[in-house]
Amino acid sequence: MATLTCKNYFNGRWETGVTTGISTNPSDLDDVVAEYARADKNQTDNAIRAAADASSTWAQSTPQRRFDALDQIGSELIARKDELGELLAREEGKTLAEAVGETVRAGNIFKFFAGEALRQGGERLASVRAGVDVEITREPVGVVGIIAPWNFPLAIPAWKIAPALAFGNSVVFKPAELVPACGWALAEIISRATLPAGVFNLVMGSGRQVGQALVDSPLVNAISFTGSVGTGRQILKATAERGAKVQLEMGGKNPLVVLADADLELAVECTLNGAFYSTGQRCTASSRIIVDAGIHDRFVARLRERTAALKVGHALQRDTQIGPVVDDHQLQQNLSYLEIARDEGAEHLVGGDTLQRQTRGHFMSPALFLAQSHHRVAREEIFGPVACVIRADGYEHALSLANDTPFGLCAGICTTSLKYATHFKRNAQVGMTMVNLPTAGVDHHVPFGGRKESSHGSREQGRYAAEFYTTVKTAYTLA
Ligand code: TXE
């Protein structure tokens, strides 16, 4: 397949970088997906200045103008879903079906926020003082720095860029180094939406140079980040020091509780999807399967059988269910957790082998362990196709195991009991709960985010995105 040449986009122009990098196909390491421009701190600062210069023009643009731009971007993403989905599957390694689905989701997100641009409203109240009116309105924050991970290279940038633009902010977008072609393809579509020069900028390069420059720049008013807990914490410190607004989406170690009264096949299906689809590389993946003793042995036998039957292979092959691990570093991290699990006494049930396929790729069979809640494999985010089953004695025990984690993104339960489903929804210490559904797989028009170490700041997506991408003004008038 052809290698794409991907430039950066600053101030309405396509620019080469200071150096060039490559991205490779994790299903076929001999396939170079892209040669991309890598910016340094200087170039990033130039892009930030362009965004700052353009911000007042865009802040004053009409809602119709913003609607038209975002709607056009959304429509093009959806119209080109097959081609962009193929690029995404080729560069990131999720299956073609998942990648096409992600592309459509990204398009729908732009269309949702096109509508939000038109719906922006405020409040008007009578003052407590006679003859005074009070108006509460939302204004743009200014320049938003967007730092994205590799695992959803279209959807995550979409759910940050779309609200930023809808609410009148200018954007400097830094994609992850593993997926520059996806970032560039999205930027290329945005570049044709007739935004004023500088309103949207793409800067590819390293976290240390480009990411850090965004985090440190006094011209960047807000940072929206998704990635690892370690990087998120550094960004939190740096932005706190200079008083910038910040929103962080980080790790997860999401539980799926299976009660004795659950529909066995449905529970197994939810587990396979949540734990292993997208190669387990989702922050909402369920890697702790907490199973009541009443169903434990039947569930484990069926889950083991279904896990062993999953088809691992090239992301672009139609019958592949589990694509490759994204890169060698992530593969080694996954494999190291298998060692850790065995050393700590977890019982290995199936999988965890590196696999040879027709092309050279980072293929690994999904791994399943019987573990205890204190095992590292049951506590730390692995971010690969590795899940553990933990035995529970009844609902109360299962709930306390589910909440026994520093993370709090998503939690699921499989049960036919309304009583337990309702109690779980109210008492799981997370931002999102699922009943009889996989923990991964969320709608694009409602809030996304978690508690504890998973998230920091206000929610992403849906109407709640306005909290981050706007600042509130209260205006008093003597009538
Ligand atoms: O994340 P990083 P990586 C977890 C997952 C994975 C691990 C490492 O466990 O194995 O993180 O992935 C930019 N200042 N998740 O290396 O380093 C970086 O260039 C500013 C979970 O991809 O956090 C990239 O664009 N930016 C997560 C982005 O931050 C910096 C999704 C994320 O990179 C920077 C992804 C710095 N100092 C990874 N250093 C989830 N749960 O969804 C790096 N970056």
Side-chain angles (χ1 to χ4, degrees):
M1 282 193 227
T3 300
L4 296 166
T5 304
C6 305
K7 290 186 177 174
N8 282 321
Y9 188 67
F10 305 158
N11 205 14
R13 285 190 304 271
W14 293 100
E15 303 276 357
T16 52
V18 173
T19 56
T20 305
I22 59 163
S23 71
T24 50
N25 178 347
S27 301
D28 178 0
L29 301 178
D30 299 314
D31 175 26
V32 177
V33 180
E35 283 177 4
Y36 72 99
R38 287 173 65 89
D40 63 358
K41 179 178 174 343
N42 261 344
Q43 283 191 322
T44 310
D45 285 340
N46 290 340
I48 294 169
R49 261 192 299 278
D53 290 346
S55 66
S56 64
T57 313
W58 189 242
Q60 286 158 26
S61 62
T62 63
Q64 186 65 46
R65 176 114 203 252
R66 295 181 208 163
F67 172 90
D68 290 341
L70 294 178
D71 190 54
Q72 180 183 324
I73 297 164
S75 296
E76 185 168 341
L77 280 161
I78 293 169
R80 292 172 56 196
K81 66 183 192 318
D82 293 327
E83 168 212 343
L84 293 167
E86 186 179 295
L87 175 65
L88 201 168
R90 183 178 165 214
E91 190 171 52
E92 194 269 352
K94 65 185 59 175
T95 64
L96 194 55
E98 290 169 329
V100 170
E102 179 178 340
T103 309
V104 173
R105 181 176 170 191
N108 281 330
I109 289 168
F110 272 97
K111 284 180 166 284
F112 174 85
F113 283 107
E116 286 301 279
L118 292 178
R119 278 190 289 267
Q120 223 187 331
E123 281 184 87
R124 190 176 163 160
L125 281 79
S127 168
V128 293
R129 288 173 278 169
V132 174
D133 278 340
V134 189
E135 281 172 353
I136 302 160
T137 52
R138 290 185 178 274
E139 295 184 359
V141 175
V143 177
V144 180
I146 289 173
I147 302 176
W150 47 262
N151 60 329
F152 284 90
L154 289 179
I156 291 179
W159 82 52
K160 296 176 188 294
I161 294 168
L165 295 176
F167 296 122
N169 302 282
S170 54
V171 167
V172 182
F173 162 45
K174 181 220 167 309
E177 288 166 82
L178 291 174
V179 287
C182 289
W184 167 84
L186 179 59
E188 208 260 327
I189 291 172
I190 297 173
S191 77
R192 276 184 277 105
T194 64
L195 303 172
V199 168
F200 172 80
N201 304 273
L202 167 75
V203 193
M204 296 178 285
S206 73
R208 208 169 298 158
Q209 292 249 351
V210 176
Q212 200 66 48
L214 281 171
V215 170
D216 291 340
S217 171
L219 295 177
V220 176
N221 306 96
I223 293 280
S224 181
F225 166 86
T226 301
S228 63
V229 176
T231 307
R233 282 201 187 125
Q234 283 177 34
I235 291 176
L236 184 58
K237 270 193 208 146
T239 45
E241 223 151 75
R242 66 179 186 82
K245 207 168 179 182
V246 67
Q247 173 184 62
L248 308 170
E249 289 300 340
M250 302 172 285
K253 193 74 191 172
N254 308 293
L256 177 70
V257 169
V258 179
L259 294 186
D261 64 12
D263 175 326
L264 179 70
E265 286 306 317
L266 177 69
V268 169
E269 202 57 53
C270 287
T271 306
L272 291 171
N273 179 320
F276 302 132
Y277 287 6
S278 296
T279 323
Q281 297 171 158
R282 295 186 285 192
C283 47
T284 47
S286 28
S287 46
R288 293 187 299 136
I289 317 302
I290 298 165
V291 186
D292 187 85
I295 196 172
H296 182 275
D297 293 355
R298 279 184 297 138
F299 174 84
V300 168
R302 185 74 177 129
L303 179 62
R304 182 184 195 165
E305 180 191 351
R306 292 282 311 274
T307 302
L310 288 170
K311 273 192 174 332
V312 181
H314 196 300
L316 294 176
Q317 258 164 23
R318 295 270 161 194
D319 61 343
T320 294
Q321 290 173 290
I322 311 289
V325 175
V326 74
D327 71 352
D328 185 55
H329 179 263
Q330 185 66 53
L331 178 64
Q332 296 312 322
Q333 179 170 309
N334 300 347
L335 297 176
S336 76
Y337 272 100
L338 307 182
E339 283 295 305
I340 291 167
R342 289 186 194 109
D343 289 351
E344 285 188 314
E347 186 185 333
H348 179 214
L349 291 176
V350 67
D353 303 309
T354 52
L355 304 172
Q356 306 297 319
R357 292 290 179 261
Q358 278 177 341
T359 47
R360 289 192 311 124
H362 304 300
F363 302 108
M364 168 184 174
S365 58
L368 201 57
F369 284 88
L370 288 182
Q372 291 180 24
S373 191
H374 66 271
H375 289 151
R376 283 181 62 193
V377 73
R379 303 201 71 78
E380 298 172 15
E381 183 178 53
I382 300 171
F383 221 56
V386 183
C388 53
V389 173
I390 303 165
R391 182 191 284 264
D393 289 315
Y395 170 74
E396 292 299 336
H397 185 215
L399 176 65
S400 82
L401 288 170
N403 286 333
D404 179 23
T405 167
F407 295 107
L409 188 57
C410 191
I413 188 166
C414 290
T415 179
T416 49
S417 155
L418 181 62
K419 177 179 138 193
Y420 289 134
T422 306
H423 190 274
F424 188 80
K425 280 195 280 187
R426 290 186 184 150
N427 291 284
Q429 294 161 2
V430 291
M432 299 177 288
T433 60
M434 304 281 180
V435 176
N436 294 323
L437 287 166
T439 54
V442 295
D443 285 5
H444 66 267
H445 68 308
V446 290
F448 178 95
R451 300 183 188 174
K452 302 189 203 168
E453 288 184 19
S454 289
S455 303
H456 176 90
S458 52
R459 288 285 185 268
E460 304 203 71
Q461 296 200 78
R463 283 195 294 121
Y464 289 70
E467 280 306 313
F468 184 72
Y469 292 99
T470 63
T471 181
V472 169
K473 181 172 277 173
T474 312
Y476 297 88
T477 309
L478 180 61

